[in-house]
């Protein structure tokens, strides 16, 4: 596999720094997921960005590249050392960092803000543009500007499939870009929709997650080989196998952003993590091992389904409910009530993907009176779902943690 | 054509039908998208061998589809077809999800009927940077899984560009049909005294259709650049005193047809009608053609379209000069291939 070399680092006094190994897999073999860790120094302090989360299910420790030479899991350094409140926990911009590759980043209308943030994270990434017009019949009329200028360049596209209506136009660009003699192509799709519809329980169920995986697996190969697909906290772990071998999925997570945010809280030593169900526990517990955990589950009582605490103790704790996504918010609210009833002092929530269809985010209020049953202290989401981010920005309890830094690093893989 | 001759042909057709049904006709289970419900019912009415099946088309709160194919077990070992209509990008994903699943339910064969292949007019890269969405669509369709019956057959009517047939990969079997026989049958019903000739609005239309209409004299138009403007001119043929039928594969804004009609009238055409297979008519552009009943002379005597674009057919209802020629019979036959 790849060589492991220690990186040098300078530390700022207040934060622990453990030795990091950096690994770079340059051969795109089918068994390894590209994984890269970089340590950059700048005059403002340290910044460490973690990129690439390996399978969380691995018990046997084969994948030693993920972790340190001394065997400790990676802990994240607080990227933002200033004392200003974090509403966008984006890392500070780089100076003097060496580019492993320069990347031309195209983006869809919905993802413009995130694209601009990504570019501000790195000198190695520049924005490119596309004319997104429509014919009268509603079908797209697209033009990739300066197509000749991307020959021999590494190219990426930041997509957002927020509804079926916008898939076709983005797909047309995604299918066209790899064939323009680019040296590699990466599709960044922070949120993979349909993820919850990924099982056939009855014959006749249509697993739309598989449809989407099929559509993406059909992206043409470019001179750089199979397209890399970067996505965050995909809903079901099995979904990684839904992609054909023509695509290299790179499964990232937003949890490192949460961890660094938690470390900055005044009561960071009183935090417990709650998982609303076993699925969430399977997805995330390994990344959050250092915190005491609480696991909830749904129990059937007659016709109703009631949320109960299966294991763990909430008494007196600041409990952070963690899940990959939120839709109506029903599950989170039920958990919140149960945790409050079991004595939680404060309750917050984190989801990577704040979908909130039909403005369901309005159900979540700020806890101003120390009553966790009525309100949350914080509700963290990432900027994977651009349309929601606009609505909840600057509205407590919501805080947006930006994926820009993580994506910028992922593009260097 | 005389009435007797027509009757004899009908009798022969009846004999032929009887013969064919002696041989084993395929029983086909036809699923369909919501937009196509009316056409699906017409197709099933054309043949005893076609049964309609249903799908639950629902959405989750986030707008993504929540689909269920009813009686999925019953279609095992059966010939299955899906009647699709990609009238806008928003409806493509839900239909594709069904289309990608049906072949894998142990069916004996799978056929996709997509009467109108959209994006067809955007099928060239003239400059590097153009995104040929027709190719995207062909890719999506080519990726339909194969079933026990082999590659999926894809039935398309009057695809816009002839080269587009090569846009499909070998895992699908495109079957290119045409609506023109419906037109010729309809033209045969016009009074024998009318001298019917066919006009093509440009060379592209001529290439696509002249062989199917060689029993009629033809007129070909062309667009000529004069400074900034593009003017429609007559290239060959003489419409004087005739009932001219302008033939093209589709109509969008209708601008081309209107320009042609003016030129033909100026050259002495007695009557002008139009036929297009696909009445796309975005933004209700069909309103430019309806008879206004205000005593002024009507530009088009007839405007024939097929029911490939169900949204238009619903909007048009019965409005003159439009007449809808149904593809149901043709599709029912195609499903037997």
């Amino acid at each position: 596999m790849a060589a492991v070399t220690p990186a040098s680092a300078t530390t700022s006094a207040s934060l622990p720094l453990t030795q990091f190994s950096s690994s770079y897999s340059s051969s795109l073999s089918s068994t390894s997921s590209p994984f890269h860790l970089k340590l950059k120094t700048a005059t403002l302090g340290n910044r460490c960005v973690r990129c690439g989360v390996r399978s969380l299910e691995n018990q046997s420790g084969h994948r030693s590249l993920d972790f340190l030479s001394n065997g400790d899991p990676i802990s994240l350094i607080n990227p933002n050392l200033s004392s200003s409140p974090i509403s966008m926990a984006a890392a500070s911009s780089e100076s003097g960092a060496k580019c492993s590759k320069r990347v031309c980043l195209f983006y869809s209308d919905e993802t413009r803000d995130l694209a601009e943030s990504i570019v501000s994270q790195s000198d190695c990434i520049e924005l490119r543009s596309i004319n997104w017009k429509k014919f009268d019949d509603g079908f797209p009329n697209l033009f990739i500007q300066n197509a000749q200028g991307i020959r021999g360049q590494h190219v990426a596209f930041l997509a957002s499939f927020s509804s079926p209506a916008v898939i076709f136009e983005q797909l047309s660009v995604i299918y066209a870009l790899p064939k323009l003699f680019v040296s590699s192509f990466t599709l960044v799709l922070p949120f993979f929709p349909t993820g919850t519809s990924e099982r056939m329980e009855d014959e006749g169920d249509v697993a739309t997650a598989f449809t989407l995986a099929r559509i993406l697996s059909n992206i043409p190969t470019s001179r750089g080989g199979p397209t890399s697909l970067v996505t965050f906290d995909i809903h079901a772990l099995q979904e990684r196998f839904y992609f054909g071998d023509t695509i290299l999925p790179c499964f990232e997570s937003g949890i490192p952003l949460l961890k660094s945010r938690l470390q900055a809280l005044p009561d960071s030593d009183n935090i417990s993590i709650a998982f609303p169900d076993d699925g969430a526990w399977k997805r995330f517990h390994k990344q959050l091992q250092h915190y005491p955990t609480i696991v909830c589950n749904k129990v059937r009582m007659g016709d109703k389904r009631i949320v109960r605490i299966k294991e763990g103790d909430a008494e007196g704790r600041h409990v952070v409910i963690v899940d990959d996504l939120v839709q109506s918010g029903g599950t989170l609210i039920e958990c919140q009530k149960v945790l409050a009833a079991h004595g939680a002092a404060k309750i917050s929530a984190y989801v990577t993907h704040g979908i909130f269809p039909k403005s369901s985010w309005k159900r979540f209020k700020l806890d101003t009176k120390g009553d966790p049953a009525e309100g949350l202290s914080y509700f963290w989401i990432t900027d994977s779902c651009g349309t929601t981010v606009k609505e909840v920005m600057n509205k407590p309890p919501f805080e947006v943690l930006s994926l820009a830094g993580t994506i910028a690093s992922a593009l260097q893989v | 054509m005389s009435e007797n001759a027509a009757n004899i042909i009908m009798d022969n057709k009846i004999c032929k039908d009887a013969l064919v049904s002696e041989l084993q006709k395929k029983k086909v289970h036809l699923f369909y998208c919501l937009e196509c419900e009316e056409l699906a019912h017409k197709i099933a009415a054309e043949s005893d061998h076609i049964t309609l099946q249903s799908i639950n088309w629902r959405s989750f709160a986030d707008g993504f589809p929540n689909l269920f194919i009813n009686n999925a077990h019953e279609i095992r070992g059966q010939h299955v077809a899906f009647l699709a209509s990609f009238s806008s990008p928003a409806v493509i994903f839900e239909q594709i999800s069904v289309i990608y699943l049906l072949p894998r339910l142990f069916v004996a064969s799978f056929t996709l009927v997509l009467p109108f292949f959209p994006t067809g007019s955007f099928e060239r890269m003239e400059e590097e940077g153009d995104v040929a969405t027709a190719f995207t669509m062909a890719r999506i369709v080519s990726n339909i899984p194969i079933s026990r019956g082999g590659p999926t057959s894809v039935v398309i009517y009057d695809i816009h560009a002839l080269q587009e047939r090569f846009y499909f990969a070998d895992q699908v079997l495109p079957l290119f049909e045409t609506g023109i026989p419906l037109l010729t049958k309809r033209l045969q019903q016009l009074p024998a005294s009318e001298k019917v000739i066919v006009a093509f609005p440009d060379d592209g239309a001529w290439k696509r259709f002249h062989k199917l209409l060689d029993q009629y004299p033809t007129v070909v138009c062309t667009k000529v650049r004069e400074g900034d403007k593009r003017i429609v001119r007559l290239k060959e043929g003489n419409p004087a005193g005739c009932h001219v039928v302008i033939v093209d594969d589709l109509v969008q804004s209708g601008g081309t047809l209107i320009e042609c009609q003016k030129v033909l009238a100026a050259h002495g055409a007695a009557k002008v009608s139009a036929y297009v297979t696909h009445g796309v008519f975005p933004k209700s552009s069909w309103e430019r053609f309806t008879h206004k009943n205000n005593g002024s002379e009507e530009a088009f005597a007839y405007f024939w379209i097929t029911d490939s674009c169900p949204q238009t057919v619903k909007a048009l209802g019965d409005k003159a000069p439009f007449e809808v020629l149904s593809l149901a019979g043709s599709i029912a036959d195609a499903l037997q291939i």
Side-chain angles (χ1 to χ4, degrees), chain A residues 53-326:
Chain A
V53 175
R54 301 299 291 247
S55 163
L56 304 176
E57 309 222 295
N58 187 300
Q59 301 282 359
S60 58
H62 284 311
R63 310 210 188 154
S64 55
L65 290 176
D66 302 2
F67 298 108
L68 308 171
S69 48
N70 62 8
D72 285 344
I74 294 173
S75 57
L76 202 68
I77 298 214
N78 189 334
N80 189 336
L81 298 179
S82 71
S83 56
S84 60
I86 300 174
S87 59
M88 290 281 281
S92 53
S93 61
E94 304 308 305
S95 59
K98 205 173 68 129
C99 294
S100 73
K101 52 186 199 188
R102 307 196 71 84
V103 177
C104 300
L105 179 65
F106 293 87
Y107 56 95
S108 69
D109 263 338
E110 292 174 12
T111 55
R112 179 194 304 270
D113 288 344
L114 179 55
E116 286 171 355
S117 300
I118 293 169
V119 165
S120 70
Q121 298 293 320
S122 163
D123 290 335
C124 312
I125 305 175
E126 56 179 66
L127 282 185
R128 291 300 175 99
S129 59
I130 294 172
N131 285 352
W132 302 93
K133 291 183 295 201
K134 284 192 164 46
F135 288 108
D136 278 344
D137 64 0
F139 275 87
N141 177 6
L142 308 168
F143 187 78
I144 297 170
Q145 290 177 21
N146 195 17
Q148 304 225 352
I150 59 174
R151 289 177 171 183
Q153 301 291 318
H154 296 284
V155 169
F157 181 78
L158 179 63
S160 167
F161 295 160
S162 58
S163 74
V166 302
I167 292 179
F168 185 74
E169 63 202 23
Q170 295 182 57
L171 203 58
S172 298
V173 170
I174 291 167
Y175 281 175
L177 283 170
K179 296 187 68 100
L180 292 173
F181 301 96
V182 301
S183 64
S184 79
F185 182 62
T186 298
L187 171 61
V188 182
L189 180 63
F191 171 53
F192 183 89
T194 68
T196 41
S197 180
E198 35 78 31
R199 277 187 304 260
M200 280 178 73
E201 287 170 15
D202 281 320
E203 198 155 333
D205 275 331
V206 181
T208 47
F210 191 52
T211 307
L212 192 54
R214 227 189 241 287
I215 289 175
L216 295 180
S217 296
N218 210 26
I219 298 173
T221 46
S222 68
R223 284 179 161 176
T227 295
S228 301
L229 168 67
V230 179
T231 189
F232 286 79
D233 291 317
I234 199 166
H235 183 76
L237 297 169
Q238 302 84 334
E239 282 170 348
R240 70 184 328 154
F241 303 117
Y242 289 16
F243 296 96
D245 288 333
T246 46
I247 266 226
L248 284 177
C250 180
F251 296 106
E252 295 274 355
S253 176
I255 297 293
L257 296 174
L258 172 66
K259 282 160 69 170
S260 82
R261 183 69 187 92
L262 292 179
Q263 279 164 11
L265 289 178
D267 58 350
S268 60
D269 55 352
N270 191 33
I271 290 182
S272 291
I273 304 289
F275 297 110
D277 52 39
D278 276 328
W281 180 84
K282 284 183 196 149
R283 270 179 233 119
F284 296 120
H285 81 279
K286 287 213 175 136
Q287 294 186 71
L288 291 161
Q289 290 183 91
H290 287 304
Y291 293 96
T293 52
I294 299 167
V295 184
C296 303
N297 64 357
K298 276 192 181 147
V299 172
R300 239 173 288 271
M301 292 199 107
D303 259 349
K304 293 167 44 159
R305 294 176 76 190
I306 307 197
V307 177
R308 289 258 172 88
I309 293 187
K310 191 175 89 154
E311 41 184 90
D313 183 16
E315 184 71 45
R317 307 286 292 174
H318 178 175
V319 183
V320 180
I321 310 172
V322 169
D323 208 351
D324 60 331
L325 57 80
V326 58

Side-chain angles (χ1 to χ4, degrees), chain B residues 23 96 100 112 114 164 176 280 313-314 329:
Chain B
L23 309 168
I96 281 290
Y100 281 178
L112 168 63
L114 179 62
E164 282 169 348
F176 296 106
V280 182
V313 168
K314 277 197 188 69

Side-chain angles (χ1 to χ4, degrees), chain B residues 145-164:
Chain B
I146 54 177
S147 68
R148 285 179 160 175
T152 294
S153 302
V154 182
V155 181
I156 296 174
Y157 282 78
D158 292 317
I159 199 167
H160 182 76
L162 297 168
Q163 303 83 335
E164 282 169 348

